[in-house]
Amino acid sequence: PVTHNAPLPPCKRRGPGRVRSVGDGRLEVIEGCRLPVLRKNQENEDEWPLAEILSVKEVASRKLYYVHYIDFNKRLDEWVTPDRLDLKKLQLPKKEAKTPTKNGLPGSRPSSPERDVVRAGREGESQMSNGTSRRLIPSQPGRKRKANCVGTDEDSQDSSDGIPSAPRMTGSLVSDRSHDDIITRMKNIDCIELGRHRLKPWYFSPYPQELTALPILYLCEFCLKYLKSLKCLQRHLTKCNLRHPPGNEIYRKGTISFFEIDGRKNKTYSQNLCLLAKCFLDHKTLYYDTDPFLFYVMTEYDSKGFHIVGYFSKEKESTEDYNVACILTLPPYQRRGYGKLLIEFSYELSKVEGKTGTPEKPLSDLGLLSYRSYWSQTILEILMDLKSDNGERPQITINEISEITSVKKEDVISTLQYLNLINYYKGQYILTLSEDIVEGHERAMHKRHLRIDPKCLHFTPKDWSKRGKW
Amino acid sequence: MSKLSFRARALDASKPLPVFRCEDLPDLNEYASINRAVPQMPTGMEKEEESEHHLQRAISAQQVYGEKRDNMVIPVPEAESNISYYDSLYPGEFRMPKQLIHIQPFSLDTEQPDYDLDSDDEAFVNKLRKKMEITPLQFEEMIDRLEKGSGQQLVTLQEAKLLLKEDDDLIREVFDYWTRKRKACKSASLIPVVKQEKRDGSSTNDPYVAFRRRTEKMQTRKNRKNDEASYEKMLKLRRDLSRAVTILEMIKRREKSKRELLHLTLEIVEKRYSMADFGGEVMAEVLAQRALIKPTYTMPLIPLSSNQFRHQDHLELKDFKPKPEKTEVVRTKRKYEKKPKVLQPSSSVSQQSGHSSLPAFNAKDLNQYDFPSSDEEPFSQMLSGSSEAEEDSDPDGPFAFRRKAGCQYYAPGQGSNWPWCDPGDPRYRYSLTTLTVPHRCVGLARRRVGRGGRFLLDRAHSDLDNVFYGLDPEMHSLPAQSPNGKLASTSESNTSDRPAPPDLGHILLNIKSCRWRHFRPRTLPRDSDSSGLYRGLTRVSMANPRTQTGGSTSQSRTGPGPAPAAALTAEQYQQHQEQLALMQKQQLEQIQQQQAGNAPGLVSKTLDSASAQFAASALVTTEELLAIKAKEEIVLGIGVNGVLPGSGVYKGLHLASAAPAALVNTSPPAAVAATTTANTAAPAFHQPSAANSSGMTAQTPSGHGAAAQVLMGNSVRLGMSSAGGTVNSITTLNARHIPRTLTAVPPSALKLAAAATANCQVPKVTAASSLDMVVR
């Protein structure tokens, strides 16, 4: 049922461009060009996937190209040397290229009708060159509305514009890429040193701009403060006596602990955590403050302290049944079951709250895989354990599964579909467990030794709606 | 059923689904085609990313193999975990606490500097260390302070010295280093911080701006009009709310007085019980008595004890008040009904002891309200002619104006053109008065012409009466002081521009030596004839040549500049007379205010001002005077601060409530005359003081501004300074007066009253000294 080879978005289908030659016969590679770029795949084999040049810079009189591999995730984007470019297959950018540009973003929303008109004029010009008529459309009704609302309350001018300048206030992820520009499309931090680890960021993160030029950004392992040099980090560590995230430990089993941090009460840590997380979460937005979120930081203890492994954030009050806003396992800990542990923990919290929940959308590729895996195992666990009472077929409703697991109904259904368990048989829907599924599940569960023990959870949900504003 | 193209039923989440093993259902495949009917759920991913190569590969690998293969996972940038210096970087061990870690709120707020020393700093600090003492932490703290002390502009060295605790040499070194480093640094701060949003909203799309405040942007900036409108709305809301508070306060007061009424009624019953007045004879008698005394007014059914107070009151009113004023009593009453609210305890006590035969009662309480309670509907309704009456819990009480059938009523001020009805008339101001027979000071009084050309002396009660009565008319002012004029404490001599008297002792001496002023015109050009004339005038009333001399001396000193000496002309004489009239008028106002301010226990008496003998024989019998005196001597016993000059009190009283009137007072006669005529018909209480004052000031010729200014300043001063006594009649009176003028705005009155009482805390300054202070 899953579409394997979805057609490429139209904007990414390009015919071979004309090859333009510069004076000396060499090809000029500029932003927007597409060409195959050499990269090693996981088997360490050479590949020449098609890539788009997003940026060009010169370091020590040597040009570097920031490339995005088409149909690869942005996290693999990188600066490459010219020798990795296959200039023979260079495609020049088309005029209507949808490459994000610096002016691709609408400015701040017109704040007065007068300015609206001015904007419309200015916008019109840039639209011509830009090729998109997106801005032109709203500006006309804007003008009309101005005529209509002469003498009426100015407040009515709000909303309905259709072009919000700021992202919505709830949630932590942005799905529309209207705010994506060339700056945020490119990684800005080269390397982050955190405790024992050196991490290569995957995405842009709004660390102070002066720190982005550094080869390594140093983070305090416990308070996550960002420092420009190892010396500064050393100095900082003489003053920072934290050896665990600055919150209340609400779960501990073995070396695994969870700390709860209030985004309003501990802003500094929350912001530092968000900045770090943004390096690995494409859709995360740091547009607004952290006040309405709680942060659950998972740590692993050793003699040095409680080391951050991953975290998830959660809105104190979610209007959309989200029980997770952002969720991240730090790269050094990935693919070791911690992600599933985080997810499991988030559902344990929901169980305590007596609610079903779902992660905020959009999911990332890794998020989707992790959640699907968790949902599959959780649901299969239940289905396999179903006992038939009086010799009849064991049966269960989707709602029951949802209640037991705190997984939202829609996620249960999508998992059942994904696992191909739902079948229509003799006038009714049934769930069927194939041998493959059963075997696969048993193998997976055998490997899954990291589990959340609900008995170790010391968590009392708070009714945030009764506490004023967060 | 096998060939199916129809849609299957929707999946029902609440319907039990039987769980089968595939091996149990060999024929399942026959039905497989229908499965497609179950709508696909979205993955929750971005469409574009959903199709990414590595994800699709991973998904298909999972479906094929049922589990992830290592080479099929989504590739991510590498991470290393082999930092060799980690152990040295994070030295020591941290033992896991047995208990779950619980963070104490605010325990995280350590006082550590946010700035962290870098290698350059370290080199600098090491170099500096050879010269002076500095630790890295100290350096960090200094830089931290400098950084946080700087906004757009860097901290200057001067500011730095204030900011830092270290000694100057060190500060200079570090400051210089910091300035250099800061200038070389491209970013806004040496402490890297995440970019903040700008106030103007221009940073909406700056990708480096993060953690914006979630508050809605103020829309008001958009439109000034909107801004204004909402501001006005807020003002209105505030006004309304404060009004509501006022109403509640009023209700509280009303309920209080209701309770008082209840207590009083109870008391009456008890008294009657103890008197064995079971048949109600005593009650009836008292009621009848009261009816006799005050036939004009309908008396409410109020407790006997409070009746007695009223009785006294009305008796006096009836006896001493000239007829024309009687009509005004109703109105003036209102003012003084309110007095007890703000009166200081001592004052009420003094009143009480003076007039109350029932010390168990608080005279203040008794007189404060007339108990308009909801139980007394008809009565309270009668009284609540205005909203004010209602709000004030009916301050007029039995004296409230009630229309009689068949009577035509004219607006006050139109019908009565008695000059003393005009509050602005200085002729009818109250001043300290001494009688020849009996030879004593009668306190504050004013003179006016009564029926048949008789001179009446209206007396006013003041809280300083006992002081006045104690003044010995035989004690003469020291001749040496007289020309020097330390006195100037009277309303008449208020234009004096002498230097400030040295101290309180002098003032006291002045008072002791009869340097209290008497009813006397002033602000005249230096003119022996005129003063002679006035001497003649005053002599009659004062019967004390010394005092009189003092008065004339003060006159001679009046005028801010050198007063032109001129011969007395008929015109001048006329002017003098008019000024006198003006004075009297003012005094009238004062008495009205005084009445308003005084509790019913206070007596307003009428005495002949032209001639004590005349007055005594014609209107007031000696016995009566003696009786009054006797009564007042009771008051004498109470310790009242005698330091204050009485006239000062009065002046303050008068001027504070209607400053411009006093102003006019000193203006040249022409202006005075104009004012007088303009104001004669208007009783004080019908003119809001504001209107009053503006009108009067307008009439003051600018040419005499200097004198007027002096006076005005004077009055202001006096209003304040005379507040020194334990009993502050001025403030209370003021307080009483203002509510009237601000008709139906009792809250402000309350506040003003409070402010006025606060004034009492002002250190004692005599009128004389204050006078000097305002001289320009």
Side-chain angles (χ1 to χ4, degrees):
Chain A
V2 175
T3 49
H4 280 233
N5 290 305
L8 293 174
C11 63
K12 293 190 176 169
R13 287 179 175 271
R14 309 262 168 109
R18 289 162 292 120
V19 174
R20 194 173 53 173
S21 57
V22 207
D24 57 356
R26 287 193 50 192
L27 295 167
E28 188 195 23
V29 181
I30 55 165
E31 282 103 337
C33 287
R34 290 180 169 214
L35 74 175
V37 176
L38 175 70
R39 80 177 289 276
K40 297 257 190 246
N41 68 10
Q42 281 134 299
E43 276 85 36
N44 208 21
E45 298 159 358
D46 283 358
E47 273 183 355
W48 290 89
L50 186 66
E52 182 172 329
I53 307 290
L54 291 186
S55 184
V56 184
K57 72 174 176 184
E58 215 172 294
V59 176
S61 70
R62 199 167 164 224
K63 280 204 167 174
L64 287 178
Y65 301 91
Y66 192 85
V67 294
H68 166 67
Y69 301 101
I70 307 294
D71 288 328
F72 285 22
N73 191 279
K74 270 196 282 179
R75 68 174 73 90
L76 299 179
D77 292 0
E78 57 186 337
W79 288 99
V80 297
T81 49
D83 53 280
R84 284 172 65 182
L85 305 178
D86 182 1
L87 293 173
K88 291 189 292 294
K89 295 180 184 166
L90 180 73
Q91 306 166 17
L92 286 176
K94 293 193 177 164
K95 269 281 175 273
E96 66 275 19
K98 217 191 160 191
T99 310
T101 50
K102 271 166 196 158
N103 65 348
L105 280 168
S108 65
R109 215 165 55 78
S111 55
S112 72
E114 290 79 10
R115 277 174 61 189
D116 206 1
V117 174
V118 175
R119 277 192 74 83
R122 231 183 338 104
E123 218 69 49
E125 288 165 25
S126 64
Q127 278 145 17
M128 296 312 158
S129 58
N130 217 12
T132 57
S133 57
R134 188 172 160 250
R135 289 288 298 150
L136 196 63
I137 298 154
S139 67
Q140 275 168 339
R143 212 178 299 173
K144 203 187 275 175
R145 192 187 55 232
K146 185 214 168 191
N148 289 345
C149 73
V150 169
T152 64
D153 200 341
E154 201 58 30
D155 294 0
S156 62
Q157 210 193 340
D158 253 331
S159 70
S160 78
D161 215 330
I163 23 161
S165 63
R168 71 205 158 95
M169 293 255 211
T170 57
S172 62
L173 303 172
V174 276
S175 54
D176 82 289
R177 310 313 301 263
S178 65
H179 286 264
D180 213 3
D181 59 16
I182 193 66
I183 297 171
T184 51
R185 268 209 66 174
M186 287 166 57
K187 307 170 187 184
N188 56 341
I189 310 280
D190 228 29
C191 182
I192 286 178
E193 193 176 301
L194 173 79
R196 265 182 245 280
H197 316 291
R198 280 225 176 122
L199 316 171
K200 287 274 183 198
W202 301 356
Y203 308 105
F204 172 88
S205 180
Y207 277 107
Q209 213 161 352
E210 64 263 29
L211 302 181
T212 58
L214 301 167
I216 295 175
L217 178 64
Y218 293 86
L219 259 57
C220 168
E221 194 190 3
F222 298 109
C223 79
L224 303 181
K225 182 180 177 173
Y226 38 86
L227 300 132
K228 62 176 179 181
S229 68
L230 190 59
K231 179 73 216 168
C232 288
L233 176 60
Q234 281 170 344
R235 278 300 306 163
H236 166 75
L237 289 173
T238 64
K239 295 176 278 181
C240 176
N241 47 14
L242 274 181
R243 286 299 173 120
H244 55 81
N248 292 333
E249 193 181 8
I250 59 165
Y251 176 92
R252 186 194 292 172
K253 182 165 194 189
T255 57
I256 296 293
S257 290
F258 275 87
F259 289 82
E260 186 186 57
I261 287 118
D262 187 323
R264 191 176 68 85
K265 288 182 187 155
N266 201 336
K267 279 189 205 288
T268 313
Y269 183 81
S270 304
Q271 293 185 358
N272 289 344
L273 179 59
C274 284
L275 286 168
L276 174 63
K278 180 67 192 78
C279 292
F280 307 101
L281 299 172
D282 191 11
H283 295 281
K284 182 174 175 60
T285 173
L286 303 188
Y287 196 89
Y288 290 119
D289 58 38
T290 57
D291 288 21
F293 293 97
L294 291 169
F295 296 86
Y296 293 93
V297 179
M298 183 167 73
T299 60
E300 192 170 44
Y301 173 81
D302 73 7
S303 60
K304 294 287 181 190
F306 293 80
H307 307 279
I308 179 169
V309 167
Y311 89 105
F312 67 89
S313 57
K314 177 173 180 169
E315 281 179 291
K316 291 169 181 173
E317 288 176 281
S318 174
T319 51
E320 288 151 290
D321 292 340
Y322 294 144
N323 65 351
V324 162
C326 293
I327 183 162
L328 169 74
T329 308
L330 286 172
Y333 297 93
Q334 284 172 359
R335 301 186 13 79
R336 286 155 61 178
Y338 290 112
K340 210 164 281 170
L341 204 61
L342 280 167
I343 295 171
E344 191 177 3
F345 188 80
S346 74
Y347 282 110
E348 286 302 329
L349 294 186
S350 291
K351 285 178 195 172
V352 175
E353 288 169 353
K355 295 177 192 166
T356 62
T358 186
E360 192 180 323
K361 310 295 180 304
L363 290 174
S364 68
D365 47 359
L366 295 170
L368 179 70
L369 294 183
S370 300
Y371 264 99
R372 268 196 186 159
S373 172
Y374 173 79
W375 290 332
S376 302
Q377 292 182 4
T378 308
I379 291 168
L380 284 174
E381 221 172 6
I382 289 170
L383 295 183
M384 310 264 274
D385 287 355
L386 276 181
K387 298 279 179 293
S388 53
D389 331 304
N390 38 37
E392 277 183 32
R393 279 275 155 214
Q395 55 181 33
I396 195 164
T397 68
I398 288 168
N399 284 343
E400 279 164 354
I401 298 174
S402 181
E403 275 164 38
I404 296 164
T405 59
S406 270
V407 175
K408 209 181 171 188
K409 194 175 73 186
E410 288 75 8
D411 294 332
V412 174
I413 295 171
S414 80
T415 307
L416 293 174
Q417 282 175 346
Y418 168 73
L419 293 172
N420 216 355
L421 300 189
I422 302 179
N423 282 291
Y424 198 69
Y425 181 74
K426 293 189 177 168
Q428 65 168 341
Y429 283 109
I430 58 163
L431 298 176
T432 54
L433 298 170
S434 69
E435 256 174 90
D436 288 350
I437 292 279
V438 173
E439 275 171 34
H441 173 71
E442 275 167 357
R443 251 182 290 139
M445 292 312 281
H446 185 69
K447 281 200 264 176
R448 185 177 165 190
H449 27 256
L450 276 175
R451 293 300 295 264
I452 293 293
D453 184 350
K455 290 194 293 292
C456 298
L457 176 64
H458 301 271
F459 171 71
T460 331
K462 297 181 184 98
D463 186 354
W464 294 97
S465 61
K466 283 184 186 166
R467 315 188 132 221
K469 268 293 163 205
W470 308 306
Chain B
M1 185 111 187
S2 56
K3 289 276 175 212
L4 283 178
S5 56
F6 63 85
R7 270 197 310 179
R9 271 178 297 168
L11 191 60
D12 188 349
S14 54
K15 207 176 173 201
L17 305 170
V19 182
F20 289 90
R21 300 271 169 161
C22 281
E23 53 268 29
D24 299 339
L25 296 169
D27 55 345
L28 182 64
N29 284 340
E30 291 175 30
Y31 300 91
S33 58
I34 307 167
N35 288 342
R36 297 203 179 269
V38 179
Q40 275 295 317
M41 300 295 284
T43 60
M45 274 188 69
E46 286 276 283
K47 272 278 171 292
E48 287 178 33
E49 292 177 0
E50 216 175 349
S51 57
E52 278 171 359
H53 170 70
H54 292 113
L55 174 65
Q56 291 306 327
R57 196 182 62 173
I59 289 172
S60 50
Q62 217 161 22
Q63 291 199 325
V64 171
Y65 303 109
E67 60 184 302
K68 279 181 276 183
R69 288 291 166 94
D70 276 356
N71 57 351
M72 293 294 180
V73 296
I74 294 174
V76 297
E78 71 275 28
E80 304 167 33
S81 303
N82 48 4
I83 299 299
S84 50
Y85 48 80
Y86 176 79
D87 284 334
S88 59
L89 199 58
Y90 296 85
E93 298 208 340
F94 181 77
R95 231 158 31 105
M96 187 191 262
K98 285 262 186 306
Q99 301 286 317
L100 292 182
I101 291 165
H102 199 86
I103 280 278
Q104 297 302 314
F106 308 116
S107 64
L108 304 166
D109 301 335
T110 47
E111 291 303 304
Q112 302 284 10
D114 284 332
Y115 183 78
D116 297 302
L117 184 103
D118 64 19
S119 338
D120 292 348
D121 301 335
E122 193 180 37
F124 170 75
V125 169
N126 285 338
K127 216 173 76 188
L128 203 61
R129 257 182 175 164
K130 290 166 191 158
K131 284 193 279 178
M132 46 193 92
E133 288 226 347
I134 184 166
T135 63
L137 187 66
Q138 200 181 354
F139 176 81
E140 284 172 348
E141 252 161 25
M142 292 172 81
I143 298 288
D144 198 61
R145 277 167 189 269
L146 289 172
E147 281 294 332
K148 285 171 181 167
S150 307
Q152 297 284 77
Q153 297 239 307
L154 295 195
V155 169
T156 64
L157 182 58
Q158 292 311 311
E159 292 166 330
K161 282 178 181 169
L162 292 173
L163 222 54
L164 305 173
K165 297 165 287 191
E166 285 74 13
D167 44 280
D168 278 8
D169 285 346
L170 182 56
I171 288 174
R172 205 170 303 114
E173 291 279 354
V174 173
F175 179 80
D176 287 345
Y177 175 81
W178 171 72
T179 322
R180 265 181 281 127
K181 184 168 180 136
R182 182 69 195 257
K183 275 179 185 149
C185 157
K186 276 164 256 134
S187 60
S189 169
L190 290 182
I191 305 166
V193 280
V194 173
K195 226 190 233 181
Q196 300 282 302
E197 99 190 277
K198 286 187 195 136
R199 290 207 171 269
D200 59 3
S202 63
S203 52
T204 320
N205 292 303
D206 187 337
Y208 279 97
V209 174
F211 310 118
R212 293 167 176 85
R213 289 186 59 81
R214 228 164 261 262
T215 47
E216 284 290 348
K217 285 273 185 306
M218 284 275 284
Q219 293 293 314
T220 46
R221 218 185 300 130
K222 240 160 97 175
N223 191 340
R224 238 165 241 280
K225 234 188 288 171
N226 184 16
D227 214 8
E228 251 167 60
S230 57
Y231 177 66
E232 271 164 22
K233 272 180 204 158
M234 293 305 284
L235 283 183
K236 191 178 175 295
L237 182 66
R238 208 201 126 155
R239 232 175 13 238
D240 291 350
L241 286 175
S242 75
R243 212 164 273 177
V245 169
T246 306
I247 289 169
L248 288 174
E249 267 169 17
M250 294 302 179
I251 290 169
K252 194 174 126 195
R253 273 162 56 187
R254 189 190 68 198
E255 294 306 314
K256 251 190 191 164
S257 36
K258 272 194 196 171
R259 194 182 57 188
E260 240 157 57
L261 174 63
L262 185 71
H263 288 322
L264 290 171
T265 316
L266 199 70
E267 188 120 355
I268 290 170
V269 171
E270 273 169 9
K271 284 260 160 28
R272 285 176 62 189
Y273 177 75
S274 63
M275 289 168 76
D277 179 31
F278 302 119
E281 293 91 354
V282 177
M283 184 72 174
E285 195 183 323
V286 173
L287 285 174
Q289 206 178 347
R290 194 189 51 183
L292 249 175
I293 291 152
K294 274 233 66 175
T296 341
Y297 303 111
T298 347
M299 297 299 279
L301 279 172
I302 46 173
L304 202 55
S305 50
S306 74
N307 273 352
Q308 280 169 344
F309 284 108
R310 276 213 182 88
H311 177 112
Q312 267 185 3
D313 218 325
H314 305 323
L315 186 72
E316 279 145 17
L317 280 171
K318 190 182 153 86
D319 286 353
F320 303 117
K321 282 249 171 169
K323 283 257 153 65
E325 254 183 0
K326 215 163 192 175
T327 51
E328 305 305 331
V329 167
V330 177
R331 293 232 143 232
T332 42
K333 268 291 181 187
R334 270 192 175 186
K335 287 184 198 168
Y336 74 69
E337 290 282 354
K338 283 181 214 154
K339 180 169 187 174
K341 283 173 257 166
V342 245
L343 253 190
Q344 294 193 327
S346 54
S347 91
S348 58
V349 166
S350 73
Q351 289 164 27
Q352 220 176 317
S353 48
H355 304 283
S356 169
S357 49
L358 289 169
F361 280 95
N362 194 344
K364 175 173 108 180
D365 293 339
L366 285 173
N367 297 308
Q368 187 165 12
Y369 305 114
D370 280 285
F371 315 112
S373 109
S374 37
D375 332 338
E376 294 176 312
E377 247 347 295
F379 180 49
S380 58
Q381 278 206 338
M382 275 192 286
L383 295 170
S384 57
S386 71
S387 62
E388 188 200 1
E390 210 167 85
E391 279 167 1
D392 284 353
S393 296
D394 184 43
D396 284 358
F399 311 106
F401 175 75
R402 251 157 264 136
R403 286 177 188 277
K404 260 191 179 170
C407 278
Q408 261 204 310
Y409 295 92
Y410 295 103
Q414 286 174 346
S416 78
N417 24 355
W418 302 104
W420 47 84
C421 295
D422 184 357
D425 194 337
R427 286 178 304 170
Y428 296 104
R429 226 168 16 159
Y430 283 86
S431 46
L432 209 49
T433 309
T434 309
L435 300 179
T436 336
V437 179
H439 189 65
R440 66 176 185 92
C441 174
V442 293
L444 300 163
R446 70 170 185 182
R447 184 192 53 185
R448 61 185 171 83
V449 183
R451 246 182 311 179
R454 282 174 252 209
F455 278 99
L456 305 181
L457 206 57
D458 295 338
R459 290 187 62 191
H461 168 82
S462 110
D463 297 310
L464 295 164
D465 273 353
N466 37 5
V467 181
F468 298 147
Y469 303 147
L471 291 170
D472 186 359
E474 296 303 331
M475 254 184 81
H476 305 318
S477 55
L478 302 171
Q481 280 176 344
S482 196
N484 188 357
K486 296 254 170 68
L487 34 132
S489 52
T490 66
S491 54
E492 283 78 20
S493 60
N494 50 14
T495 44
S496 156
D497 55 350
R498 287 162 296 100
D503 55 23
L504 210 69
H506 264 289
I507 296 143
L508 203 63
L509 196 67
N510 279 339
I511 293 158
K512 286 248 171 89
S513 55
C514 298
R515 290 190 155 276
W516 21 279
R517 283 285 156 246
H518 296 247
F519 197 57
R520 185 183 308 262
R522 77 259 134 225
T523 328
L524 286 177
R526 186 188 253 274
D527 175 7
S528 59
D529 280 59
S530 74
S531 62
L533 172 90
Y534 275 92
R535 185 176 299 150
L537 270 172
T538 44
R539 189 176 289 135
V540 190
S541 60
M542 304 312 167
N544 187 348
R546 313 277 171 136
T547 336
Q548 179 197 333
T549 321
S552 35
T553 0
S554 78
Q555 267 176 23
S556 61
R557 272 181 283 101
T558 53
L568 173 69
T569 62
E571 190 187 295
Q572 268 180 326
Y573 176 63
Q574 182 63 29
Q575 284 175 346
H576 276 257
Q577 280 210 318
E578 270 165 356
Q579 196 171 9
L580 185 65
L582 192 68
M583 257 168 47
Q584 283 173 331
K585 204 169 147 193
Q586 280 185 325
Q587 281 183 334
L588 177 83
E589 183 201 276
Q590 280 174 343
I591 196 169
Q592 279 160 352
Q593 283 173 358
Q594 180 72 355
Q595 283 169 354
N598 285 349
L602 305 180
V603 194
S604 140
K605 301 168 186 79
T606 322
L607 278 182
D608 196 329
S609 72
S611 135
Q613 295 97 324
F614 193 34
S617 58
L619 271 173
V620 185
T621 66
T622 331
E623 291 99 72
E624 276 169 342
L625 275 173
L626 286 170
I628 291 157
K629 186 176 180 177
K631 202 185 278 173
E632 279 158 359
E633 257 149 16
I634 306 168
V635 191
L636 241 165
I638 291 37
V640 175
N641 195 331
V643 179
L644 276 187
S647 55
V649 173
Y650 256 134
K651 198 201 297 185
L653 163 104
H654 173 83
L655 294 175
S657 50
L663 206 147
V664 173
N665 220 357
T666 39
S667 331
V672 171
T675 324
T676 317
T677 41
N679 289 318
T680 26
F685 30 82
H686 291 147
Q687 282 187 322
S689 63
N692 205 350
S693 49
S694 61
M696 290 207 157
T697 353
Q699 282 164 7
T700 312
S702 55
H704 308 283
Q709 272 178 346
V710 169
L711 236 202
M712 188 148 78
N714 195 3
S715 68
V716 172
R717 290 290 171 186
L718 285 168
M720 307 268 293
S721 61
S722 51
T726 32
V727 177
N728 190 344
S729 56
I730 293 152
T731 43
T732 47
L733 282 172
N734 281 347
R736 221 113 311 180
H737 183 72
I738 289 146
R740 292 210 127 267
T741 60
L742 305 175
T743 50
V745 193
S748 59
L750 285 174
K751 272 175 208 147
L752 276 164
T757 13
N759 259 350
C760 297
Q761 318 306 328
V762 172
K764 261 176 269 175
V765 183
T766 60
S769 65
S770 58
L771 258 181
D772 293 313
M773 287 164 75
V774 292
V775 167
R776 302 183 181 188

